[in-house]
Amino acid sequence: MTIPEGLWEARKCHCLAARRRARELTRYYESKLRPHGLRATQFTILAALALKGPTPIGELAQLLGLERTTLTRNAAVMERNGWIGTAPSEDARARPLHLVEAGNRKLEAALPAWKEAQQQIDRHGWPPEGSP
């Protein structure tokens, strides 16, 4: 089997490098949020709903840069955990999500851990010293 000309350049792929760094960064935030029973995406969803209020899934997915199916799966878990709910809507096709009190408490409890991760990266860059 012959290797196509120029394929060795793929070892320096910027897309792969960015995805690898994104996974490392996600693992770091999740290590800080794990004691609170949250994943990084779940924290972000709770924060967005706290800041924005009831938001339809499609709009929230776009705001967070998530695939709609990814947000739907996360929302189902978060709804089962009692952190978010579905708000009433005049449009039966819309399913706005909203933060419930238990979700607000979860967010408030996890916020210092998120701030610690954020400040560590702000101060020391990425990867932070002593990161997992």
Side-chain angles (χ1 to χ4, degrees), residues 5 9 13 18 21 25 33 39 50 59 118 131:
E5 188 176 331
E9 294 173 38
C13 178
R21 293 299 253 196
L25 188 62
L33 295 169
R39 310 265 332 227
E59 184 180 332
Q118 188 79 359
S131 68

PDB file of all heavy atoms in Angstrom, residues 5 9 13 18 21 25 33 39 50 59 118 131:
ATOM      1  N   GLU A   5       0.918  11.123  -1.472  1.00  0.00           N
ATOM      2  CA  GLU A   5       1.842  12.246  -1.335  1.00  0.00           C
ATOM      3  C   GLU A   5       1.218  13.326  -0.452  1.00  0.00           C
ATOM      4  O   GLU A   5       0.056  13.679  -0.598  1.00  0.00           O
ATOM      5  CB  GLU A   5       2.151  12.828  -2.714  1.00  0.00           C
ATOM      6  CG  GLU A   5       3.237  13.866  -2.671  1.00  0.00           C
ATOM      7  CD  GLU A   5       3.605  14.380  -4.053  1.00  0.00           C
ATOM      8  OE1 GLU A   5       3.461  13.617  -5.023  1.00  0.00           O
ATOM      9  OE2 GLU A   5       4.020  15.534  -4.127  1.00  0.00           O
ATOM     10  N   GLU A   9       1.919  15.299   6.251  1.00  0.00           N
ATOM     11  CA  GLU A   9       1.545  16.604   6.797  1.00  0.00           C
ATOM     12  C   GLU A   9       0.341  16.503   7.731  1.00  0.00           C
ATOM     13  O   GLU A   9       0.143  17.359   8.591  1.00  0.00           O
ATOM     14  CB  GLU A   9       1.243  17.583   5.663  1.00  0.00           C
ATOM     15  CG  GLU A   9       2.458  17.924   4.826  1.00  0.00           C
ATOM     16  CD  GLU A   9       2.086  18.764   3.618  1.00  0.00           C
ATOM     17  OE1 GLU A   9       1.199  19.641   3.740  1.00  0.00           O
ATOM     18  OE2 GLU A   9       2.683  18.531   2.553  1.00  0.00           O
ATOM     19  N   CYS A  13      -2.042  18.181  11.857  1.00  0.00           N
ATOM     20  CA  CYS A  13      -3.393  18.673  11.587  1.00  0.00           C
ATOM     21  C   CYS A  13      -3.876  19.612  12.707  1.00  0.00           C
ATOM     22  O   CYS A  13      -3.953  19.228  13.871  1.00  0.00           O
ATOM     23  CB  CYS A  13      -4.350  17.479  11.445  1.00  0.00           C
ATOM     24  SG  CYS A  13      -6.061  17.969  11.171  1.00  0.00           S
ATOM     25  N   ALA A  18      -6.691  20.917  17.831  1.00  0.00           N
ATOM     26  CA  ALA A  18      -7.718  21.697  18.531  1.00  0.00           C
ATOM     27  C   ALA A  18      -8.691  20.784  19.262  1.00  0.00           C
ATOM     28  O   ALA A  18      -9.085  21.053  20.404  1.00  0.00           O
ATOM     29  CB  ALA A  18      -8.458  22.595  17.537  1.00  0.00           C
ATOM     30  N   ARG A  21      -6.998  19.394  22.375  1.00  0.00           N
ATOM     31  CA  ARG A  21      -6.950  20.410  23.436  1.00  0.00           C
ATOM     32  C   ARG A  21      -8.337  20.627  24.051  1.00  0.00           C
ATOM     33  O   ARG A  21      -8.459  20.809  25.260  1.00  0.00           O
ATOM     34  CB  ARG A  21      -6.415  21.728  22.896  1.00  0.00           C
ATOM     35  CG  ARG A  21      -4.969  21.679  22.495  1.00  0.00           C
ATOM     36  CD  ARG A  21      -4.100  21.352  23.647  1.00  0.00           C
ATOM     37  NE  ARG A  21      -3.380  22.536  24.067  1.00  0.00           N
ATOM     38  CZ  ARG A  21      -2.333  22.480  24.837  1.00  0.00           C
ATOM     39  NH1 ARG A  21      -1.879  21.348  25.266  1.00  0.00           N
ATOM     40  NH2 ARG A  21      -1.741  23.588  25.199  1.00  0.00           N
ATOM     41  N   LEU A  25      -9.213  20.242  27.941  1.00  0.00           N
ATOM     42  CA  LEU A  25      -9.833  21.331  28.681  1.00  0.00           C
ATOM     43  C   LEU A  25     -11.138  20.871  29.332  1.00  0.00           C
ATOM     44  O   LEU A  25     -11.397  21.164  30.504  1.00  0.00           O
ATOM     45  CB  LEU A  25     -10.089  22.504  27.730  1.00  0.00           C
ATOM     46  CG  LEU A  25     -10.547  23.813  28.331  1.00  0.00           C
ATOM     47  CD1 LEU A  25      -9.511  24.377  29.275  1.00  0.00           C
ATOM     48  CD2 LEU A  25     -10.840  24.814  27.221  1.00  0.00           C
ATOM     49  N   LEU A  33     -15.784  19.897  38.482  1.00  0.00           N
ATOM     50  CA  LEU A  33     -17.235  19.836  38.669  1.00  0.00           C
ATOM     51  C   LEU A  33     -17.724  18.475  39.165  1.00  0.00           C
ATOM     52  O   LEU A  33     -18.830  18.376  39.694  1.00  0.00           O
ATOM     53  CB  LEU A  33     -17.937  20.189  37.354  1.00  0.00           C
ATOM     54  CG  LEU A  33     -17.726  21.623  36.866  1.00  0.00           C
ATOM     55  CD1 LEU A  33     -18.225  21.779  35.442  1.00  0.00           C
ATOM     56  CD2 LEU A  33     -18.415  22.611  37.800  1.00  0.00           C
ATOM     57  N   ARG A  39     -21.381  17.449  34.788  1.00  0.00           N
ATOM     58  CA  ARG A  39     -20.451  17.446  33.663  1.00  0.00           C
ATOM     59  C   ARG A  39     -20.337  18.894  33.185  1.00  0.00           C
ATOM     60  O   ARG A  39     -21.200  19.727  33.495  1.00  0.00           O
ATOM     61  CB  ARG A  39     -20.990  16.560  32.531  1.00  0.00           C
ATOM     62  CG  ARG A  39     -21.442  15.186  32.928  1.00  0.00           C
ATOM     63  CD  ARG A  39     -20.488  14.058  32.798  1.00  0.00           C
ATOM     64  NE  ARG A  39     -19.472  14.172  31.794  1.00  0.00           N
ATOM     65  CZ  ARG A  39     -19.158  13.234  30.936  1.00  0.00           C
ATOM     66  NH1 ARG A  39     -19.840  12.121  30.924  1.00  0.00           N
ATOM     67  NH2 ARG A  39     -18.162  13.389  30.096  1.00  0.00           N
ATOM     68  N   ALA A  50     -29.999  29.998  33.676  1.00  0.00           N
ATOM     69  CA  ALA A  50     -30.066  30.973  34.771  1.00  0.00           C
ATOM     70  C   ALA A  50     -29.939  32.390  34.228  1.00  0.00           C
ATOM     71  O   ALA A  50     -30.633  33.306  34.690  1.00  0.00           O
ATOM     72  CB  ALA A  50     -28.963  30.691  35.790  1.00  0.00           C
ATOM     73  N   GLU A  59     -32.966  27.159  20.137  1.00  0.00           N
ATOM     74  CA  GLU A  59     -32.293  28.429  20.418  1.00  0.00           C
ATOM     75  C   GLU A  59     -31.146  28.221  21.408  1.00  0.00           C
ATOM     76  O   GLU A  59     -30.065  28.780  21.248  1.00  0.00           O
ATOM     77  CB  GLU A  59     -33.309  29.425  20.976  1.00  0.00           C
ATOM     78  CG  GLU A  59     -32.753  30.803  21.224  1.00  0.00           C
ATOM     79  CD  GLU A  59     -33.799  31.755  21.788  1.00  0.00           C
ATOM     80  OE1 GLU A  59     -35.002  31.572  21.507  1.00  0.00           O
ATOM     81  OE2 GLU A  59     -33.403  32.675  22.512  1.00  0.00           O
ATOM     82  N   GLN A 118     -11.629  28.254  36.055  1.00  0.00           N
ATOM     83  CA  GLN A 118     -11.525  29.412  35.180  1.00  0.00           C
ATOM     84  C   GLN A 118     -10.357  30.315  35.593  1.00  0.00           C
ATOM     85  O   GLN A 118      -9.551  30.726  34.763  1.00  0.00           O
ATOM     86  CB  GLN A 118     -12.846  30.186  35.231  1.00  0.00           C
ATOM     87  CG  GLN A 118     -12.969  31.303  34.243  1.00  0.00           C
ATOM     88  CD  GLN A 118     -13.323  30.841  32.855  1.00  0.00           C
ATOM     89  OE1 GLN A 118     -13.472  29.658  32.586  1.00  0.00           O
ATOM     90  NE2 GLN A 118     -13.446  31.775  31.953  1.00  0.00           N
ATOM     91  N   SER A 131      -2.687  19.928  36.453  1.00  0.00           N
ATOM     92  CA  SER A 131      -3.967  19.461  35.899  1.00  0.00           C
ATOM     93  C   SER A 131      -3.908  17.965  35.682  1.00  0.00           C
ATOM     94  O   SER A 131      -2.839  17.397  35.517  1.00  0.00           O
ATOM     95  CB  SER A 131      -4.273  20.195  34.591  1.00  0.00           C
ATOM     96  OG  SER A 131      -3.363  19.822  33.602  1.00  0.00           O
TER      97      SER A 131
END
